[in-house]
């Protein structure tokens, strides 16, 4: 950010001997990110792919408007470039770290960047990042989710949960949508999404679609018996949504 100074600025400071020193600045004063200082942080550590990492950081800086550039928090910047240096062969992870770095140097987004985001990215795979990026970054948006349970014969109680946390949202997003249940469990573990028990959507068509999905039908077909044992299927209707922590993560990492 460049501030035009039409008049000189007098700044008075005190040294260790309590003596006052006057500093006068004339002309233009540039306030903002010190690129060389940022690059020196990278050069001072023994990261792998150091040159590539520097190029990525340069690109990250250039994505931020000059008027909003600020020095990043080293608690975020240093571990982020370290993890980035190990992730350059994965385009999705590399891009996510790059956007996080850019956000950490963006005056408008820096307040939303949490130090734990670096570690969280390292615990996500490319599909989980794609899934998060496909969600609307608000806490008010809920998505349908089902559990498939079955009971054998006259079995009482809730029965056996065979499929937990199924949704079809990943089938147009993820490379391995059949792992969607595991992805959601991991996102819930990381507190990026919430799956409140007992909360469901009023639109039952959302759940009918999931119950009739080919993945659920394939699971039920594998349970077919010779007719001697009766199997009864039941469903839990649930929802999942981003937490505020998850909204912030998506906001600064997408």
């Amino acid at each position: 950010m460049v501030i035009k100074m039409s008049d000189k600025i007098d700044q008075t400071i005190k040294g260790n001997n309590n003596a006052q020193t006057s500093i006068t600045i004339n002309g233009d004063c540039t306030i903002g990110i010190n690129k060389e200082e940022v690059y020196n942080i990278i050069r001072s550590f023994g990261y792998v792919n150091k040159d590539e990492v520097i190029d990525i950081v340069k690109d990250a800086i250039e994505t931020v408007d000059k008027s909003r550039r600020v020095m990043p928090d080293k608690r975020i910047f240093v571990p982020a470039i370290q993890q980035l240096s190990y992730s350059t062969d994965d385009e999705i992870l590399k891009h996510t770290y790059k956007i996080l770095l850019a956000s950490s140097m963006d005056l408008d987004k820096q307040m939303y960047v949490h130090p734990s985001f670096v570690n969280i990215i390292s615990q996500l795979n490319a599909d989980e990042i794609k899934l998060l990026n496909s969600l609307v970054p608000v806490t008010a948006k809920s998505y349908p989710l089902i559990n498939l349970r079955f009971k054998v014969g006259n079995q009482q109680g809730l029965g056996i949960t065979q499929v937990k946390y199924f949704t079809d949202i990943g089938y147009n997003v993820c490379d391995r949508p059949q792992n969607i249940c595991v992805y959601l469990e991991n996102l819930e573990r990381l507190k990026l999404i919430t799956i409140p028990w007992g909360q469901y959507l009023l639109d039952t068509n959302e759940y009918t679609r999931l119950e009739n999905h080919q993945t659920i039908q394939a699971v039920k077909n594998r349970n077919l018996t010779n007719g001697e044992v009766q199997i009864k299927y039941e469903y839990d209707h649930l929802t999942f949504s981003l937490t505020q922590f998850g909204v912030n993560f998506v906001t600064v990492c997408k």
Side-chain angles (χ1 to χ4, degrees):
M1 177 171 61
V2 177
I3 300 177
K4 298 294 184 180
M5 307 287 189
S6 57
D7 300 315
K8 69 179 182 179
I9 295 178
D10 292 323
Q11 177 65 51
T12 301
I13 62 174
K14 290 185 177 182
N16 292 332
N17 60 0
N18 209 36
Q20 293 186 345
T21 302
S22 179
I23 300 176
T24 301
I25 303 174
N26 290 292
D28 295 343
C29 176
T30 302
I31 301 174
I33 193 168
N34 185 326
K35 292 184 182 180
E36 282 307 314
E37 184 176 345
V38 172
Y39 301 154
N40 286 336
I41 293 175
I42 301 172
R43 297 187 184 99
S44 64
F45 291 88
Y47 299 121
V48 297
N49 305 317
K50 188 179 299 185
D51 292 338
E52 184 176 1
V53 170
I54 291 177
D55 289 339
I56 293 171
V57 173
K58 286 181 179 179
D59 289 341
I61 293 174
E62 292 305 319
T63 64
V64 182
D65 188 274
K66 291 181 179 180
S67 65
R68 301 198 313 272
R69 291 178 189 169
V70 291
M71 285 296 294
D73 185 336
K74 289 184 179 180
R75 295 179 304 156
I76 298 168
F77 185 81
V78 173
I81 59 177
Q82 182 178 34
Q83 290 297 330
L84 172 61
S85 70
Y86 303 135
S87 307
T88 54
D89 58 341
D90 187 312
E91 290 299 322
I92 299 298
L93 286 174
K94 181 171 68 174
H95 179 74
T96 304
Y97 280 119
K98 174 182 173 181
I99 298 303
L100 176 62
L101 286 167
S103 296
S104 73
M105 296 180 280
D106 188 327
L107 183 62
D108 290 348
K109 294 184 177 181
Q110 193 179 52
M111 71 182 74
Y112 303 112
V113 179
H114 194 279
S116 66
F117 287 172
V118 177
N119 185 48
I120 286 177
I121 296 174
S122 71
Q123 297 180 67
L124 298 173
N125 63 27
D127 266 356
E128 290 166 337
I129 292 173
K130 290 178 183 177
L131 179 61
L132 283 171
N133 289 343
S134 72
L135 304 179
V136 180
V138 295
T139 59
K141 173 66 175 178
S142 296
Y143 302 86
L145 200 64
I146 64 170
N147 294 336
L148 171 65
R149 295 182 285 104
F150 73 90
K151 298 177 182 178
V152 178
N154 295 321
Q155 182 181 4
Q156 301 299 310
L158 294 176
I160 300 171
T161 299
Q162 190 163 19
V163 178
K164 183 180 180 182
Y165 295 168
F166 176 77
T167 184
D168 59 358
I169 192 172
Y171 279 79
N172 294 322
V173 175
C174 303
D175 292 333
R176 297 180 177 86
Q178 66 272 20
N179 294 331
I180 189 68
C181 305
V182 176
Y183 297 160
L184 291 180
E185 281 193 283
N186 189 39
L187 298 180
E188 183 186 31
R189 176 185 69 87
L190 294 170
K191 306 299 182 182
L192 297 175
I193 66 169
T194 181
I195 305 176
W197 184 259
Q199 182 173 305
Y200 55 90
L201 301 177
L202 295 178
D203 185 359
T204 57
N205 291 327
E206 296 278 7
Y207 297 108
T208 300
R209 185 185 73 251
L210 298 182
E211 292 169 11
N212 293 330
H213 195 277
Q214 59 182 1
T215 299
I216 297 298
Q217 295 304 312
V219 172
K220 293 170 66 174
N221 289 337
R222 290 200 298 269
N223 293 337
L224 292 178
T225 66
N226 57 11
E228 297 178 357
V229 179
Q230 181 182 7
I231 296 179
K232 180 181 179 181
Y233 293 101
E234 295 179 351
Y235 300 92
D236 297 318
H237 291 177
L238 306 167
T239 66
F240 77 93
S241 59
L242 285 169
T243 61
Q244 186 58 57
F245 186 67
V247 169
N248 289 356
F249 180 86
V250 172
T251 299
V252 301
C253 294
K254 181 177 178 180

